[in-house]
Amino acid sequence: MPERPAYPVQLIQPDGRRVFDREHAALVADIGPERLRALYEDMVVSRRIDTEATALQRQGQLGLWPPLLGQEAAQVGSARALHPDDYVFCSYREAAVAYCRGVDPGELTRLWRGAAHYCWDPDAVRMTNPNIVVGAQGLHATGYAYAAHLDGAEIATIAYFGDGGSSQGDIAEALGFASSWSAPVVFFCQNNGWAISAPVRVQSATPIVRRAYGYGIPGVQVDGNDVLAVLAVTRQAVARARSGGGPSFIEALTYRIGPHTTADDPTRYRAAAETEEWRRRDPIDRVRRLLEREDLYDSDFERQVADRAAAVAHRVRTATIEMPDPEPARLFDHVYSTPHPLIAEERRAYLEYLAGDPGEAPVHEGVRA
């Protein structure tokens, strides 16, 4: 593989100044004032969704929530590089990607409230639901991409995973399969520094992107807090996949400012100084400073963005609180795509149990309830 640049791709510095990079700047040359403002709004709204959902969990309205605070540029930049017919295979933290794909904000908390096994209809937005089986989505994305290729569909898929997920065997298998069969898939690693309490240095002694080289897959490391840089490299990878060039690997260097999930306490394993250093690289502040430098940020625009964020947050809160509890029998819906006698029997036994003696749980052959 060719030698990679010494530094990650960057188009906006933390102070808002643009970086001269002829190759990658050309990939986002169409991002004028209005589209730059739209990217900023996407990130602000995504952060407000995250803040609202975190508050809902703290108030007992959600069982769990995986915050994305600090990763808005990595998610918005990559999501806005996709075509409508591309398919997204996410992990569990990509609420900003879901928002950009057109998911109703009122559906984002359905799974986390325990009201259903899913949040949204995947086919409606061409994006899978949150996946807590770490790394499995890499195989799903590769298989779907290869099948689409065999069908003659000129699309790409993208698999999101973290630095911890990169150590899973599923990701290694997906990389090998995608390379051997030239599957049109983009592997997008959000390296946010921590796999719960394990620092990234225990995942890999070298940059994670270098793992792709061993499979013959081109890769690029990008400043994951720079929305334009992420947009540029993802567009490049998606174009390569859609045109028959095969898979690509992107390592977006970012940072998880908050906890791994709302069940986690990051103060037990990382220093406050580290978090504060990354706060100074805030992806939203970076774009705001760029907009200010280019006279594109004023009080009217600020109010417009704040109003949009408030409206979306209101939708998230209202929909969550008013979300009806599911009927118990729905627990067995969608386990298989077609009727299955075992599921039918379990449904019948469970409903009998609910209607009968609550002290006697159903027991099936070989399985204790």
PDB file of all heavy atoms in Angstrom, residues 187-210:
ATOM      1  N   PHE A 187     -16.042   0.797   5.404  1.00  0.00           N
ATOM      2  CA  PHE A 187     -15.882   0.527   6.832  1.00  0.00           C
ATOM      3  C   PHE A 187     -15.534   1.844   7.518  1.00  0.00           C
ATOM      4  O   PHE A 187     -14.490   2.443   7.235  1.00  0.00           O
ATOM      5  CB  PHE A 187     -14.779  -0.508   7.058  1.00  0.00           C
ATOM      6  CG  PHE A 187     -15.099  -1.870   6.504  1.00  0.00           C
ATOM      7  CD1 PHE A 187     -14.659  -2.238   5.239  1.00  0.00           C
ATOM      8  CD2 PHE A 187     -15.866  -2.766   7.235  1.00  0.00           C
ATOM      9  CE1 PHE A 187     -14.959  -3.496   4.720  1.00  0.00           C
ATOM     10  CE2 PHE A 187     -16.174  -4.026   6.719  1.00  0.00           C
ATOM     11  CZ  PHE A 187     -15.721  -4.380   5.463  1.00  0.00           C
ATOM     12  N   PHE A 188     -16.409   2.294   8.408  1.00  0.00           N
ATOM     13  CA  PHE A 188     -16.236   3.605   9.036  1.00  0.00           C
ATOM     14  C   PHE A 188     -16.035   3.411  10.534  1.00  0.00           C
ATOM     15  O   PHE A 188     -16.971   3.138  11.274  1.00  0.00           O
ATOM     16  CB  PHE A 188     -17.456   4.498   8.779  1.00  0.00           C
ATOM     17  CG  PHE A 188     -17.228   5.946   9.112  1.00  0.00           C
ATOM     18  CD1 PHE A 188     -16.809   6.838   8.130  1.00  0.00           C
ATOM     19  CD2 PHE A 188     -17.430   6.420  10.399  1.00  0.00           C
ATOM     20  CE1 PHE A 188     -16.594   8.172   8.438  1.00  0.00           C
ATOM     21  CE2 PHE A 188     -17.211   7.753  10.715  1.00  0.00           C
ATOM     22  CZ  PHE A 188     -16.791   8.628   9.731  1.00  0.00           C
ATOM     23  N   CYS A 189     -14.791   3.554  10.958  1.00  0.00           N
ATOM     24  CA  CYS A 189     -14.433   3.387  12.371  1.00  0.00           C
ATOM     25  C   CYS A 189     -14.420   4.745  13.061  1.00  0.00           C
ATOM     26  O   CYS A 189     -13.595   5.602  12.743  1.00  0.00           O
ATOM     27  CB  CYS A 189     -13.056   2.726  12.498  1.00  0.00           C
ATOM     28  SG  CYS A 189     -12.482   2.575  14.211  1.00  0.00           S
ATOM     29  N   GLN A 190     -15.338   4.933  13.994  1.00  0.00           N
ATOM     30  CA  GLN A 190     -15.303   6.130  14.838  1.00  0.00           C
ATOM     31  C   GLN A 190     -14.387   5.827  16.027  1.00  0.00           C
ATOM     32  O   GLN A 190     -14.815   5.249  17.021  1.00  0.00           O
ATOM     33  CB  GLN A 190     -16.699   6.489  15.335  1.00  0.00           C
ATOM     34  CG  GLN A 190     -17.631   6.974  14.247  1.00  0.00           C
ATOM     35  CD  GLN A 190     -18.998   7.331  14.803  1.00  0.00           C
ATOM     36  OE1 GLN A 190     -19.213   8.440  15.270  1.00  0.00           O
ATOM     37  NE2 GLN A 190     -19.926   6.384  14.754  1.00  0.00           N
ATOM     38  N   ASN A 191     -13.147   6.202  15.894  1.00  0.00           N
ATOM     39  CA  ASN A 191     -12.176   5.989  16.970  1.00  0.00           C
ATOM     40  C   ASN A 191     -12.366   7.114  17.984  1.00  0.00           C
ATOM     41  O   ASN A 191     -11.816   8.195  17.841  1.00  0.00           O
ATOM     42  CB  ASN A 191     -10.757   5.987  16.402  1.00  0.00           C
ATOM     43  CG  ASN A 191      -9.705   5.776  17.485  1.00  0.00           C
ATOM     44  OD1 ASN A 191     -10.005   5.725  18.672  1.00  0.00           O
ATOM     45  ND2 ASN A 191      -8.455   5.650  17.067  1.00  0.00           N
ATOM     46  N   ASN A 192     -13.172   6.826  19.017  1.00  0.00           N
ATOM     47  CA  ASN A 192     -13.447   7.865  20.020  1.00  0.00           C
ATOM     48  C   ASN A 192     -12.593   7.724  21.268  1.00  0.00           C
ATOM     49  O   ASN A 192     -12.880   8.320  22.304  1.00  0.00           O
ATOM     50  CB  ASN A 192     -14.938   7.891  20.375  1.00  0.00           C
ATOM     51  CG  ASN A 192     -15.421   6.622  21.060  1.00  0.00           C
ATOM     52  OD1 ASN A 192     -14.629   5.838  21.593  1.00  0.00           O
ATOM     53  ND2 ASN A 192     -16.725   6.411  21.064  1.00  0.00           N
ATOM     54  N   GLY A 193     -11.531   6.931  21.162  1.00  0.00           N
ATOM     55  CA  GLY A 193     -10.537   6.892  22.226  1.00  0.00           C
ATOM     56  C   GLY A 193     -10.740   5.826  23.278  1.00  0.00           C
ATOM     57  O   GLY A 193      -9.775   5.398  23.910  1.00  0.00           O
ATOM     58  N   TRP A 194     -11.987   5.415  23.474  1.00  0.00           N
ATOM     59  CA  TRP A 194     -12.270   4.493  24.566  1.00  0.00           C
ATOM     60  C   TRP A 194     -13.300   3.440  24.166  1.00  0.00           C
ATOM     61  O   TRP A 194     -14.342   3.767  23.620  1.00  0.00           O
ATOM     62  CB  TRP A 194     -12.801   5.252  25.788  1.00  0.00           C
ATOM     63  CG  TRP A 194     -11.773   6.142  26.407  1.00  0.00           C
ATOM     64  CD1 TRP A 194     -11.518   7.445  26.069  1.00  0.00           C
ATOM     65  CD2 TRP A 194     -10.846   5.789  27.435  1.00  0.00           C
ATOM     66  NE1 TRP A 194     -10.485   7.924  26.838  1.00  0.00           N
ATOM     67  CE2 TRP A 194     -10.053   6.936  27.684  1.00  0.00           C
ATOM     68  CE3 TRP A 194     -10.620   4.629  28.162  1.00  0.00           C
ATOM     69  CZ2 TRP A 194      -9.052   6.941  28.645  1.00  0.00           C
ATOM     70  CZ3 TRP A 194      -9.608   4.628  29.117  1.00  0.00           C
ATOM     71  CH2 TRP A 194      -8.842   5.770  29.357  1.00  0.00           C
ATOM     72  N   ALA A 195     -13.018   2.181  24.477  1.00  0.00           N
ATOM     73  CA  ALA A 195     -13.990   1.101  24.350  1.00  0.00           C
ATOM     74  C   ALA A 195     -14.481   0.810  25.771  1.00  0.00           C
ATOM     75  O   ALA A 195     -13.878   0.022  26.494  1.00  0.00           O
ATOM     76  CB  ALA A 195     -13.352  -0.132  23.721  1.00  0.00           C
ATOM     77  N   ILE A 196     -15.534   1.474  26.170  1.00  0.00           N
ATOM     78  CA  ILE A 196     -15.954   1.579  27.564  1.00  0.00           C
ATOM     79  C   ILE A 196     -14.747   2.101  28.347  1.00  0.00           C
ATOM     80  O   ILE A 196     -14.364   3.249  28.153  1.00  0.00           O
ATOM     81  CB  ILE A 196     -16.535   0.263  28.125  1.00  0.00           C
ATOM     82  CG1 ILE A 196     -17.605  -0.328  27.178  1.00  0.00           C
ATOM     83  CG2 ILE A 196     -17.148   0.509  29.499  1.00  0.00           C
ATOM     84  CD1 ILE A 196     -18.265  -1.588  27.699  1.00  0.00           C
ATOM     85  N   SER A 197     -14.103   1.291  29.186  1.00  0.00           N
ATOM     86  CA  SER A 197     -12.982   1.806  29.983  1.00  0.00           C
ATOM     87  C   SER A 197     -11.621   1.431  29.413  1.00  0.00           C
ATOM     88  O   SER A 197     -10.592   1.732  30.025  1.00  0.00           O
ATOM     89  CB  SER A 197     -13.093   1.277  31.422  1.00  0.00           C
ATOM     90  OG  SER A 197     -13.082  -0.142  31.432  1.00  0.00           O
ATOM     91  N   ALA A 198     -11.576   0.786  28.257  1.00  0.00           N
ATOM     92  CA  ALA A 198     -10.308   0.365  27.660  1.00  0.00           C
ATOM     93  C   ALA A 198      -9.817   1.408  26.665  1.00  0.00           C
ATOM     94  O   ALA A 198     -10.507   1.695  25.679  1.00  0.00           O
ATOM     95  CB  ALA A 198     -10.472  -0.978  26.962  1.00  0.00           C
ATOM     96  N   PRO A 199      -8.653   2.019  26.882  1.00  0.00           N
ATOM     97  CA  PRO A 199      -8.140   3.018  25.945  1.00  0.00           C
ATOM     98  C   PRO A 199      -7.759   2.393  24.617  1.00  0.00           C
ATOM     99  O   PRO A 199      -7.477   1.187  24.534  1.00  0.00           O
ATOM    100  CB  PRO A 199      -6.918   3.587  26.672  1.00  0.00           C
ATOM    101  CG  PRO A 199      -6.466   2.476  27.562  1.00  0.00           C
ATOM    102  CD  PRO A 199      -7.724   1.771  27.995  1.00  0.00           C
ATOM    103  N   VAL A 200      -7.731   3.220  23.574  1.00  0.00           N
ATOM    104  CA  VAL A 200      -7.500   2.696  22.232  1.00  0.00           C
ATOM    105  C   VAL A 200      -6.133   2.043  22.103  1.00  0.00           C
ATOM    106  O   VAL A 200      -5.949   1.151  21.265  1.00  0.00           O
ATOM    107  CB  VAL A 200      -7.682   3.817  21.186  1.00  0.00           C
ATOM    108  CG1 VAL A 200      -6.601   4.875  21.313  1.00  0.00           C
ATOM    109  CG2 VAL A 200      -7.697   3.235  19.774  1.00  0.00           C
ATOM    110  N   ARG A 201      -5.182   2.422  22.923  1.00  0.00           N
ATOM    111  CA  ARG A 201      -3.844   1.837  22.791  1.00  0.00           C
ATOM    112  C   ARG A 201      -3.844   0.330  23.053  1.00  0.00           C
ATOM    113  O   ARG A 201      -2.923  -0.377  22.616  1.00  0.00           O
ATOM    114  CB  ARG A 201      -2.866   2.530  23.739  1.00  0.00           C
ATOM    115  CG  ARG A 201      -3.145   2.328  25.221  1.00  0.00           C
ATOM    116  CD  ARG A 201      -2.076   2.981  26.091  1.00  0.00           C
ATOM    117  NE  ARG A 201      -2.366   2.816  27.518  1.00  0.00           N
ATOM    118  CZ  ARG A 201      -3.115   3.641  28.228  1.00  0.00           C
ATOM    119  NH1 ARG A 201      -3.658   4.705  27.628  1.00  0.00           N
ATOM    120  NH2 ARG A 201      -3.347   3.425  29.507  1.00  0.00           N
ATOM    121  N   VAL A 202      -4.851  -0.185  23.763  1.00  0.00           N
ATOM    122  CA  VAL A 202      -4.902  -1.626  23.985  1.00  0.00           C
ATOM    123  C   VAL A 202      -5.637  -2.340  22.850  1.00  0.00           C
ATOM    124  O   VAL A 202      -5.671  -3.569  22.825  1.00  0.00           O
ATOM    125  CB  VAL A 202      -5.556  -1.983  25.339  1.00  0.00           C
ATOM    126  CG1 VAL A 202      -4.871  -1.271  26.476  1.00  0.00           C
ATOM    127  CG2 VAL A 202      -7.048  -1.685  25.335  1.00  0.00           C
ATOM    128  N   GLN A 203      -6.223  -1.585  21.931  1.00  0.00           N
ATOM    129  CA  GLN A 203      -6.852  -2.184  20.756  1.00  0.00           C
ATOM    130  C   GLN A 203      -5.840  -2.398  19.631  1.00  0.00           C
ATOM    131  O   GLN A 203      -5.939  -3.364  18.876  1.00  0.00           O
ATOM    132  CB  GLN A 203      -7.991  -1.288  20.231  1.00  0.00           C
ATOM    133  CG  GLN A 203      -9.028  -0.901  21.253  1.00  0.00           C
ATOM    134  CD  GLN A 203      -9.807  -2.082  21.777  1.00  0.00           C
ATOM    135  OE1 GLN A 203      -9.926  -3.110  21.128  1.00  0.00           O
ATOM    136  NE2 GLN A 203     -10.354  -1.941  22.972  1.00  0.00           N
ATOM    137  N   SER A 204      -4.902  -1.448  19.511  1.00  0.00           N
ATOM    138  CA  SER A 204      -3.949  -1.532  18.405  1.00  0.00           C
ATOM    139  C   SER A 204      -2.697  -0.722  18.735  1.00  0.00           C
ATOM    140  O   SER A 204      -2.795   0.395  19.251  1.00  0.00           O
ATOM    141  CB  SER A 204      -4.584  -0.996  17.124  1.00  0.00           C
ATOM    142  OG  SER A 204      -3.676  -1.036  16.050  1.00  0.00           O
ATOM    143  N   ALA A 205      -1.541  -1.292  18.426  1.00  0.00           N
ATOM    144  CA  ALA A 205      -0.274  -0.588  18.653  1.00  0.00           C
ATOM    145  C   ALA A 205       0.029   0.400  17.537  1.00  0.00           C
ATOM    146  O   ALA A 205       0.933   1.223  17.661  1.00  0.00           O
ATOM    147  CB  ALA A 205       0.864  -1.592  18.779  1.00  0.00           C
ATOM    148  N   THR A 206      -0.712   0.322  16.436  1.00  0.00           N
ATOM    149  CA  THR A 206      -0.552   1.240  15.308  1.00  0.00           C
ATOM    150  C   THR A 206      -1.919   1.844  14.994  1.00  0.00           C
ATOM    151  O   THR A 206      -2.941   1.386  15.520  1.00  0.00           O
ATOM    152  CB  THR A 206      -0.028   0.499  14.063  1.00  0.00           C
ATOM    153  OG1 THR A 206      -0.998  -0.477  13.658  1.00  0.00           O
ATOM    154  CG2 THR A 206       1.291  -0.188  14.360  1.00  0.00           C
ATOM    155  N   PRO A 207      -1.980   2.872  14.163  1.00  0.00           N
ATOM    156  CA  PRO A 207      -3.298   3.398  13.782  1.00  0.00           C
ATOM    157  C   PRO A 207      -4.207   2.285  13.270  1.00  0.00           C
ATOM    158  O   PRO A 207      -3.784   1.417  12.500  1.00  0.00           O
ATOM    159  CB  PRO A 207      -2.950   4.408  12.687  1.00  0.00           C
ATOM    160  CG  PRO A 207      -1.577   4.882  13.036  1.00  0.00           C
ATOM    161  CD  PRO A 207      -0.877   3.658  13.568  1.00  0.00           C
ATOM    162  N   ILE A 208      -5.456   2.323  13.684  1.00  0.00           N
ATOM    163  CA  ILE A 208      -6.395   1.261  13.332  1.00  0.00           C
ATOM    164  C   ILE A 208      -6.548   1.121  11.827  1.00  0.00           C
ATOM    165  O   ILE A 208      -6.735   0.014  11.307  1.00  0.00           O
ATOM    166  CB  ILE A 208      -7.754   1.522  14.011  1.00  0.00           C
ATOM    167  CG1 ILE A 208      -7.608   1.324  15.528  1.00  0.00           C
ATOM    168  CG2 ILE A 208      -8.832   0.598  13.468  1.00  0.00           C
ATOM    169  CD1 ILE A 208      -8.831   1.706  16.325  1.00  0.00           C
ATOM    170  N   VAL A 209      -6.434   2.235  11.103  1.00  0.00           N
ATOM    171  CA  VAL A 209      -6.610   2.192   9.651  1.00  0.00           C
ATOM    172  C   VAL A 209      -5.597   1.257   8.991  1.00  0.00           C
ATOM    173  O   VAL A 209      -5.867   0.684   7.926  1.00  0.00           O
ATOM    174  CB  VAL A 209      -6.514   3.608   9.059  1.00  0.00           C
ATOM    175  CG1 VAL A 209      -5.089   4.164   9.165  1.00  0.00           C
ATOM    176  CG2 VAL A 209      -6.976   3.638   7.608  1.00  0.00           C
ATOM    177  N   ARG A 210      -4.443   1.067   9.621  1.00  0.00           N
ATOM    178  CA  ARG A 210      -3.422   0.209   9.009  1.00  0.00           C
ATOM    179  C   ARG A 210      -3.845  -1.253   8.952  1.00  0.00           C
ATOM    180  O   ARG A 210      -3.289  -2.039   8.182  1.00  0.00           O
ATOM    181  CB  ARG A 210      -2.108   0.348   9.768  1.00  0.00           C
ATOM    182  CG  ARG A 210      -1.470   1.720   9.626  1.00  0.00           C
ATOM    183  CD  ARG A 210      -0.085   1.766  10.205  1.00  0.00           C
ATOM    184  NE  ARG A 210       0.515   3.096  10.063  1.00  0.00           N
ATOM    185  CZ  ARG A 210       1.719   3.417  10.500  1.00  0.00           C
ATOM    186  NH1 ARG A 210       2.456   2.501  11.117  1.00  0.00           N
ATOM    187  NH2 ARG A 210       2.179   4.634  10.340  1.00  0.00           N
TER     188      ARG A 210
END
